[in-house]
Amino acid sequence: MLAEYWPVLLFIAVAIGLGIALLVIGLLAGTSRPTAEKLAPYECGFEAFEDARMKFDVRYYLIAILFIIFDLEIAFLFPWATVFSDLGVIALVEMGLFLLLLVIGFAYVWKKGALEWE
Amino acid sequence: MFDQFWTHLLLPVLYILAIVVPLILAVAMFVYWERKVIGWMHVRMGPNKIGPLGMLQAFADVVKLLIKEVILPTNSSKFLYYLAPMLALVPAFAAWAVVPFGEKMVLANVNAGVLYLLAMTSLGVYGIILAGWASNSRYALLGAMRSAAQVISYELAMGMSVVCVLVLTGSLNLTDIVHAQAGNKGFFDWYWLPLLPVFIIYFISGVAETNRAPFDVAEGESEIVAGFHVEYSGSAFAIFFLAEYASMILVSFLAAIFFMGGWLSPLQGWITADAPRWINWIWTGGFIWLFIKAFLFSFLFLWFRASFPRYRYDQIMRLGWKVFIPITIVWVFVAGLMKYYGWVTIGTGA
């Protein structure tokens, strides 16, 4: 049962190895003649006069929070979907209620304008 | 001792390389094909100098990228800067561990396959965010923010579409999902028909998820140059490139597996003739069918890029949140009804 996941783990290891190999080849085979101008952050020829890690729009943050909530809902739907046919009508009704609650929350978010980008 | 070593380590690694090496070659040829197709659509030649018909162009590009200087910008965070491309590449490749290419042609036939895929595709966003943050450049950070918000938004629609498939199949195992689409009504047995809206949503979300045109605001050249990977050069850039194309091919394969019957033949059940094996696959199904379907889906990526103008960012977010998510929520319930009333049954192949 768990042994089936061993190739998956190996695959992740191979992928990490591939990434490291490519990076190392690039670092070794590539030329390296750094100058101050070359290493400066790219800003279309302007000199960067302050740190780029500035304040950003709160809507990105809001989207991330909403994503977590909705992604959790999807994670709840996964087991339900898998055993749905064994549970019959109760599962259908319950998930109808669950989706209804989800839709109410979604409608609230929509109404509040959290999804607006102007 | 050696036997153990062979069956548990060497053999699986050989299988893995049998997936990874063709995948890298496929990425190289896909890049070539993209430039060629878009060239034709623009009434240009596309690459035609290196190798026959320019076919070796991508390999020349790889060599060139690998011997270019890898720049580490002054204000960047060194460790995160090098970690970011890895975080983009590893999930895009590791996800292939559970993809079934044909009957019994799967590396890890795990029961939580879909969950694993969703986990892996979700991890891709960390590479983007980290790349933008670690570069410490304005364009990179803006591109990363945009890109991350877009990717997670479309991931919801994608996840919901997959839930619809799961409702009909009742299994998280990808091989079972293909088996459930077997039947004797040809390609009408596949899930694109009962799940037509979510099938379309799934593919469009896949295009948005991989930051491809017309959803490529992350690297909208005219506004923020190349977005999150603007500071990356040489092999570090090559890794991002490899990851992006590998995930495009992955989305094409998954669309084929979830909605187009995987390796099943579109003629299934219509022809039952007995023929040698090398003709037989045309109606009994085989990995060639999966490759044809995936090729057609990946061609759509290129077609979209050549045809559609780029969306505005607010339009992208509106499409994701206000159109796709409501439709998929409704269709989860519709899929439940279809399953409950037996309009869609599990196929005979299982």
Side-chain angles (χ1 to χ4, degrees):
Chain A
M1 179 61 200
L2 217 57
E4 286 165 355
Y5 290 88
W6 170 241
V8 176
L9 203 64
L10 271 180
F11 206 122
I12 295 174
V14 169
I16 293 173
L18 175 75
I20 292 175
L22 276 175
L23 211 53
V24 169
I25 290 173
L27 288 174
L28 292 181
T31 46
S32 181
R33 279 189 287 276
T35 62
E37 284 77 27
K38 200 193 272 177
L39 297 187
Y42 176 66
E43 235 167 80
C44 288
F46 289 101
E47 280 191 29
F49 30 72
E50 60 184 37
D51 202 72
R53 289 164 188 167
M54 52 199 174
K55 290 176 187 160
F56 55 82
D57 199 324
V58 71
R59 280 177 298 191
Y60 290 111
Y61 189 66
L62 204 58
I63 288 287
I65 292 177
L66 290 176
F67 164 73
I68 291 176
I69 298 168
F70 279 88
D71 213 31
L72 269 180
E73 312 270 6
I74 293 174
F76 276 132
L77 285 170
F78 264 68
W80 166 76
T82 323
V83 294
F84 175 66
S85 51
D86 303 332
L87 297 181
V89 71
I90 300 167
L92 189 67
V93 172
E94 281 197 356
M95 197 41 69
L97 285 174
F98 183 74
L99 286 177
L100 189 70
L101 289 176
L102 184 64
V103 167
I104 292 171
F106 188 64
Y108 176 75
V109 168
W110 190 323
K111 197 86 187 151
K112 276 283 175 187
L115 307 177
E116 302 296 332
W117 294 73
E118 71 279 340
Chain B
M1 180 58 203
F2 180 74
D3 278 359
Q4 290 256 320
F5 186 61
W6 172 254
T7 50
H8 292 299
L9 198 65
L10 277 182
L11 201 61
V13 168
L14 282 180
Y15 283 141
I16 290 166
L17 289 179
I19 297 174
V20 168
V21 174
L23 181 60
I24 294 174
L25 290 176
V27 166
M29 292 321 283
F30 189 32
V31 174
Y32 160 75
W33 180 238
E34 170 173 39
R35 296 175 60 181
K36 206 73 184 166
V37 165
I38 292 177
W40 288 329
M41 288 183 182
H42 291 168
V43 203
R44 296 186 279 115
M45 296 291 288
N48 64 350
K49 294 286 186 236
I50 301 166
L53 300 169
M55 286 218 267
L56 298 178
Q57 179 72 47
F59 298 97
D61 290 344
V62 168
V63 173
K64 187 185 138 186
L65 273 176
L66 285 182
I67 57 173
K68 283 272 172 182
E69 181 170 1
V70 181
I71 286 173
L72 180 72
T74 348
N75 298 330
S76 56
S77 323
K78 190 175 181 194
F79 177 67
L80 295 181
Y81 185 80
Y82 288 127
L83 184 68
M86 304 281 294
L87 273 180
L89 181 82
V90 171
F93 269 74
W96 287 88
V98 296
V99 173
F101 296 98
E103 191 76 55
K104 303 234 161 66
M105 278 176 69
V106 53
L107 178 72
N109 192 14
V110 298
N111 281 329
V114 176
L115 210 56
Y116 172 75
L117 275 177
L118 223 64
M120 280 298 147
T121 45
S122 309
L123 280 177
V125 74
Y126 287 98
I128 295 172
I129 275 270
L130 262 188
W133 181 260
S135 305
N136 203 351
S137 153
R138 253 173 222 209
Y139 290 117
L141 190 64
L142 280 174
M145 296 308 298
R146 283 186 184 189
S147 192
Q150 173 189 334
V151 167
I152 58 177
S153 302
Y154 279 87
E155 210 165 277
L156 293 177
M158 222 170 172
M160 281 291 204
S161 326
V162 174
V163 168
C164 295
V165 176
L166 298 182
V167 171
L168 294 188
T169 52
S171 172
L172 290 166
N173 184 315
L174 285 149
T175 307
D176 288 350
I177 289 175
V178 175
H179 280 154
Q181 299 179 62
N184 51 20
K185 293 195 291 290
F187 58 89
F188 295 114
D189 275 314
W190 301 344
Y191 288 155
W192 65 271
L193 190 60
L195 301 178
L196 189 60
V198 292
F199 165 52
I200 296 166
I201 287 174
Y202 180 85
F203 191 70
I204 296 175
S205 305
V207 177
E209 175 101 1
T210 46
N211 283 317
R212 294 290 301 180
F215 303 103
D216 60 343
V217 286
E219 40 186 308
E221 287 107 79
S222 44
E223 313 158 30
I224 51 169
V225 209
F228 64 90
H229 56 53
V230 66
E231 297 288 356
Y232 284 85
S233 64
S235 66
F237 171 73
I239 294 175
F240 274 118
F241 206 69
L242 194 60
E244 180 179 329
Y245 280 78
S247 33
M248 276 161 74
I249 301 177
L250 181 70
V251 168
S252 309
F253 268 87
L254 292 182
I257 288 169
F258 287 145
F259 298 99
M260 289 303 237
W263 64 82
L264 300 173
S265 159
L267 306 171
Q268 57 174 348
W270 289 348
I271 302 175
T272 46
D274 206 19
R277 220 167 141 219
W278 57 275
I279 313 181
N280 209 325
W281 63 269
I282 296 174
W283 52 89
T284 55
F287 68 94
I288 302 174
W289 275 118
L290 177 61
F291 282 48
I292 293 172
K293 291 165 193 169
F295 174 75
L296 292 177
F297 280 121
S298 45
F299 178 72
L300 281 181
F301 275 95
L302 314 182
W303 197 356
F304 286 174
R305 182 174 164 194
S307 308
F308 297 128
R310 186 175 297 135
Y311 270 93
R312 251 187 5 240
Y313 195 68
D314 62 320
Q315 292 171 325
I316 292 180
M317 295 310 263
R318 194 182 64 214
L319 183 70
W321 284 93
K322 295 189 173 174
V323 180
F324 283 1
I325 291 177
I327 294 178
T328 45
I329 289 176
V330 169
W331 219 263
V332 167
F333 194 68
V334 172
L337 287 176
M338 282 195 272
K339 179 75 177 175
Y340 182 71
Y341 287 107
W343 294 334
V344 180
T345 47
I346 287 186
T348 48

